Amino acid sequence: MEKYEHKYGADQIQVLEGLEAVRKRPGMYIGSVSVRGLHHLVYEIVDNCVDEALAGYCNNIHIKIEKGNIVTVEDDGRGIPVDKHKKTGISAAETVYTVLHAGGKFGGDSGYKVSGGLHGVGASVVNALSEWTEVTIQRDGGIFQMAFERGKTTKPLTRIGDSNKTGTKVKFLADNTIFETLEYEYEVLEKRFREMAFLTKGLRISIEDLREETPKKADFCFEGGLKSFVEFLNKNKEKLNTQPIYIEKNSGDVPVEIAIQYTNSYSENIYSFVNNINTIEGGTHLEGFKRSLTKVFNDYARNHNILKEKDANLQGEDIREGITAVISVKVKEPQFEGQTKTKLGNSEVTGIVQSVMNDALATFLEENPSVAKAVLEKCISAARAREAARKARELVRRKTALESSTLPGKLADCSSKQAEECEIYIVEGDSAGGSAKQGRDRKFQAILPLWGKMLNVEKSRADKIYNNDKLQPVILAVGAGIGADFDITKIRYGKVIIMADADVDGAHIRTLLLTFFFRYMRPLIENGNVYLAQPPLYKISKKGIPDVYCYTDEELEKNLQEIGRDGVGIQRYKGLGEMNPEQLWDTTMDPEKRILIKVTMEDAMKADEIFTLLMGDDVNPRRKFIEDNAKYVKNLDI
Ligand code: 28F
């Protein structure tokens, strides 16, 4: 291909300087040159298609990833205008792809520039950061094409054929001298495009990944918009209101779209967007939503005598318990604040969202009394639980303050009162508790056997935690309160050691306690006070030699090679109760010989994640986790 000699006019020089700036400091434009920055390239291009859709001219967007990480994005919009500007001789198409931030004011006629990560740096950044970019436009009966290399025009806009269709197609290969990796992560892109389809009602976005043998693909189009979004978010949860509450209204030039659906969980899931940007830090739109929600539900409760005259108002947190909601507003001049520029600052939007929602939500509740009643019943029990939790916290605080007189009955305390030298073993079951009590060193070792029904902290509100007969003894024994009241300086033991069996029940109690400490006594973990005891898995006995204890399967194999297998007895310990006090001391409690694992925040977070997965409402992820891990299970005792 003949070398294209470009005549650089003044403005072309300025263009090159702009794109050079992008190549020098790409992080300023796309956040980073990691895979996240790589994904921003695709978001920038797709945002231009979404702008064309918001302007009402594009219905389909297709994203394709081919071998070598070549990306193609295509829309069926009007096609970027190709006529040359009378003064500059430069077409809009060339401007969009060579002038920084040009896309901003050109984003379709809707005027709401939607944006990927850093709020619309424009397609020219993609051009600057790509080894090559090829743009094909169909409009005005023709097919037009232009191409670039690292921002420099290699093929000026040329008509290459006829067409009776319209649209824009961009194909590009990111520059591997800029990015740490060119490997796009399909799942990340798919998740973002599903979100964009939810946020742009009726727009069809399809994606396909042809890099592997088996292609991956997805096709999103949601006529229900945010209503479909909340239904998707709640797909594995038990709903309180099958029909989501749906509000859609333009207030002046601010379109507001809201969907709400309650579930029987205790968590609050509210997602807010401005011009399709996920405002993780919230802002004025979210503020308006929360104020309206609290006001409308309290008004309804009073008007329908669900709340009596003397009853206190429901608090916002009571009303938001179990809520899944998505709020999306479009603002012409959005002001973004916050650490990651994902907090909406426009103060006028609070009132706009409030007034749109006040009327529409009040009307919905009047027209759907069964939904109103179901939600309010849950709010009222949440308010009661909050009150009970406050009282229980008060009680625990008082009990803790009263010190020893309220120590749990089953606690075999140690004589020393120097917390840093003392340790408490939390043991599952009375039999293990018995041998631990006999085997221990009373001076510095306390034993607390646990019993009673396993509490699922995932599905229990704070009041149940405080009053649960399995966990309250732990709270009192540790002696430092829980939750917001937890005071690490008050702990009675320098080491809190979980000693559970090496079986499924042991794993359950271990995960429960780690989740409990992570959620209600986090400083205990951060401060490194929580440990896991390591009882032996096997005992090898042979005449004439002392017993050998093995703590892992590998250790067993290794020892058997030394000792040999003839005349050897191997006992697999199923539970701590199978060891007599001396053995338990020898193998698991003697500080000179034992193995303790210090629990880190990562362990606790992993436990919390697994707990939510295994004990939460979401059935599918649980099934997937069990299927993925079943192959590792050796001793599943059903
Ligand atoms: C695969 C990437 O970039 N699609 C785009 C348009 C359509 C117009 C436009 C874009 C407005 C005046 C400059 C067409 N006709 N897909 C895309 N589709 N930009 S980007 O306009 C750009 C500016 O000239 C468009 C009438 N108005 C706007």
Side-chain angles (χ1 to χ4, degrees):
M1 181 169 95
E2 81 285 353
K3 192 85 193 86
Y4 170 70
E5 288 310 311
H6 200 293
K7 0 179 237 321
Y8 288 112
D11 51 352
Q12 282 304 320
I13 301 288
Q14 189 247 339
V15 161
L16 289 182
E17 278 159 6
L19 300 187
E20 257 328 290
V22 175
R23 289 181 57 80
K24 274 208 187 65
R25 271 182 298 286
M28 294 264 288
Y29 299 86
I30 53 170
S32 76
V33 290
S34 69
V35 68
R36 287 165 61 89
L38 186 72
H39 289 158
H40 276 307
L41 299 186
V42 189
Y43 299 153
E44 280 310 324
I45 302 294
V46 173
D47 287 343
N48 283 345
C49 307
V50 174
D51 281 331
E52 185 65 356
L54 288 175
Y57 296 100
C58 158
N59 302 307
N60 295 285
I61 301 172
H62 183 64
I63 298 104
K64 182 167 65 175
I65 312 169
E66 292 175 285
K67 276 195 187 334
N69 288 299
I70 292 166
V71 172
T72 303
V73 182
E74 182 162 14
D75 71 36
D76 62 353
R78 293 167 290 184
I80 315 176
V82 293
D83 44 309
K84 292 196 180 311
H85 193 282
K86 42 192 165 311
K87 276 218 296 298
T88 64
I90 308 277
S91 69
E94 282 164 303
T95 303
V96 166
Y97 274 81
T98 57
V99 176
L100 271 191
H101 300 295
K105 52 185 176 304
F106 293 139
D109 309 8
S110 67
Y112 307 109
K113 175 76 186 110
V114 292
S115 311
L118 295 157
H119 312 334
V121 288
S124 56
V125 167
V126 178
N127 184 3
L129 300 178
S130 293
E131 189 176 317
W132 54 263
T133 309
E134 179 192 80
V135 181
T136 309
I137 296 165
Q138 299 181 76
R139 62 174 282 134
D140 309 334
I143 304 178
F144 303 83
Q145 203 165 63
M146 59 184 176
F148 309 89
E149 279 174 15
R150 294 186 170 91
K152 290 197 176 70
T153 305
T154 52
K155 183 180 174 193
L157 191 63
T158 320
R159 192 178 200 283
I160 59 170
D162 301 334
S163 162
N164 55 13
K165 291 193 293 181
T166 64
T168 304
K169 177 168 78 172
V170 176
K171 192 171 187 170
F172 66 93
L173 171 63
D175 186 344
N176 63 8
T177 65
I178 298 262
F179 291 97
E180 290 163 5
T181 168
L182 298 190
E183 279 304 320
Y184 294 96
E185 290 168 6
Y186 173 81
E187 287 67 26
V188 172
L189 294 173
E190 183 192 70
K191 178 173 183 285
R192 174 62 185 152
F193 297 137
R194 177 190 294 114
E195 188 177 272
M196 292 174 97
F198 280 130
L199 291 162
T200 321
K201 190 193 293 202
L203 170 64
R204 185 168 161 271
I205 303 181
S206 56
I207 175 170
E208 62 178 331
D209 181 353
L210 305 170
R211 292 173 293 177
E212 312 293 333
E213 268 314 292
T214 36
K216 292 180 202 161
K217 59 183 175 183
D219 205 324
F220 303 119
C221 182
F222 303 105
E223 294 307 338
L226 298 192
K227 195 159 136 331
S228 312
F229 202 166
V230 289
E231 286 168 337
F232 169 76
L233 290 168
N234 285 341
K235 65 185 181 309
N236 296 318
K237 299 191 175 185
E238 202 179 310
K239 272 63 92 174
L240 280 195
N241 55 310
T242 42
Q243 187 61 15
I245 300 168
Y246 184 64
I247 297 165
E248 184 183 23
K249 190 167 185 298
N250 286 358
S251 167
D253 59 3
V254 178
V256 178
E257 190 183 359
I258 294 169
I260 302 169
Q261 188 176 49
Y262 279 87
T263 69
N264 70 344
S265 83
Y266 302 128
S267 55
E268 177 184 317
N269 292 313
I270 303 178
Y271 300 89
S272 60
F273 296 85
V274 177
N275 298 357
N276 289 5
I277 295 159
N278 186 349
T279 40
I280 301 161
E281 295 168 276
T284 49
H285 52 334
L286 182 59
E287 195 44 43
F289 171 86
K290 288 182 173 179
R291 287 187 197 171
S292 172
L293 193 79
T294 303
K295 175 184 172 352
V296 171
F297 270 105
N298 270 297
D299 289 354
Y300 183 94
R302 294 215 181 272
N303 300 342
H304 292 72
N305 215 13
I306 297 174
L307 269 186
K308 308 284 181 288
E309 194 52 43
K310 63 174 177 30
D311 292 333
N313 257 358
L314 295 166
Q315 302 287 313
E317 64 181 284
D318 305 329
I319 295 173
R320 296 194 300 271
E321 186 195 82
I323 194 171
T324 298
V326 184
I327 309 148
S328 172
V329 296
K330 293 205 173 61
V331 176
K332 287 204 184 302
E333 305 285 338
Q335 309 302 323
F336 291 104
E337 301 168 357
Q339 198 66 24
T340 55
K341 293 276 171 269
T342 57
K343 180 172 186 173
L344 182 66
N346 301 57
S347 52
E348 74 281 6
V349 175
T350 303
I352 288 171
V353 171
Q354 246 175 303
S355 59
V356 163
M357 196 164 147
N358 284 350
D359 306 342
L361 181 57
T363 308
F364 180 93
L365 295 182
E366 290 304 333
E367 291 168 359
N368 300 275
S370 58
V371 174
K373 194 163 161 297
V375 173
L376 280 165
E377 266 163 21
K378 185 171 178 23
C379 297
I380 287 167
S381 69
R384 288 201 186 112
R386 179 169 46 77
E387 193 43 33
R390 196 189 57 70
K391 287 206 183 80
R393 222 177 13 243
E394 199 46 45
L395 182 71
V396 168
R397 194 186 289 135
R398 259 205 314 283
K399 279 189 173 179
T400 313
L402 293 175
E403 258 325 280
S404 58
S405 63
T406 58
L407 284 177
K410 292 248 178 173
L411 173 68
D413 210 348
C414 52
S415 52
S416 160
K417 293 302 167 222
Q418 304 296 324
E420 58 282 355
E421 70 175 357
C422 296
E423 48 194 49
I424 180 169
Y425 277 82
I426 301 178
V427 192
E428 170 64 3
D430 283 340
S431 69
S435 25
K437 279 180 189 171
Q438 291 169 55
R440 67 176 171 145
D441 177 332
R442 299 163 175 269
K443 182 170 173 300
F444 67 95
Q445 289 180 326
I447 309 292
L448 177 65
L450 288 189
W451 72 99
K453 192 178 161 319
M454 179 71 71
L455 176 82
N456 175 352
V457 287
E458 174 61 18
K459 285 192 183 164
S460 308
R461 290 192 186 108
D463 59 314
K464 279 229 200 74
I465 305 277
Y466 293 127
N467 293 319
N468 170 261
D469 62 13
K470 195 185 258 296
L471 292 174
Q472 197 184 61
V474 177
I475 300 166
L476 294 178
V478 172
I482 70 174
D485 303 326
F486 185 80
D487 176 357
I488 190 83
T489 63
K490 290 224 175 74
I491 54 174
R492 303 180 62 249
Y493 307 96
K495 288 190 177 69
V496 178
I497 303 169
I498 302 172
M499 184 155 75
D501 291 343
D503 61 7
V504 179
D505 290 340
H508 188 178
I509 184 70
R510 213 173 8 255
T511 309
L512 168 89
L513 286 170
L514 288 183
T515 302
F516 170 65
F517 288 141
F518 176 68
R519 293 188 184 179
Y520 294 95
M521 294 187 178
R522 189 166 301 188
L524 208 60
I525 295 178
E526 288 161 341
N527 196 39
N529 299 103
V530 180
Y531 294 82
L532 302 179
Q534 285 298 295
L537 285 179
Y538 304 96
K539 177 178 76 174
I540 304 175
S541 32
K542 183 172 181 177
K543 253 199 348 225
I545 60 163
D547 291 341
V548 174
Y549 292 98
C550 306
Y551 293 82
T552 62
D553 292 322
E554 295 70 32
E555 209 179 325
L556 175 70
E557 282 317 308
K558 209 161 60 64
N559 278 308
L560 285 176
Q561 271 142 32
E562 276 148 32
I563 301 177
R565 283 182 186 271
D566 52 340
V568 160
I570 300 173
Q571 179 186 358
R572 183 185 185 307
Y573 286 114
K574 297 275 287 181
L576 296 164
E578 293 168 337
M579 269 182 267
N580 64 39
E582 293 68 33
Q583 286 169 330
L584 197 53
W585 165 259
D586 256 350
T587 59
T588 313
M589 299 178 73
D590 176 356
E592 305 302 319
K593 289 187 250 170
R594 72 186 174 192
I595 303 162
L596 286 186
I597 295 179
K598 182 181 279 193
V599 172
T600 62
M601 276 301 285
E602 289 67 33
D603 302 323
M605 288 161 81
K606 192 75 205 137
D608 181 68
E609 220 174 282
I610 288 179
F611 209 84
T612 306
L613 190 68
L614 291 178
M615 311 296 275
D617 286 336
D618 244 349
V619 174
N620 287 340
R622 173 165 43 251
R623 182 181 302 115
K624 185 171 178 330
F625 176 84
I626 292 171
E627 282 160 1
D628 291 351
N629 290 284
K631 52 184 174 290
Y632 300 122
V633 174
K634 285 197 288 288
N635 313 295
L636 188 58
D637 44 348
I638 304 287

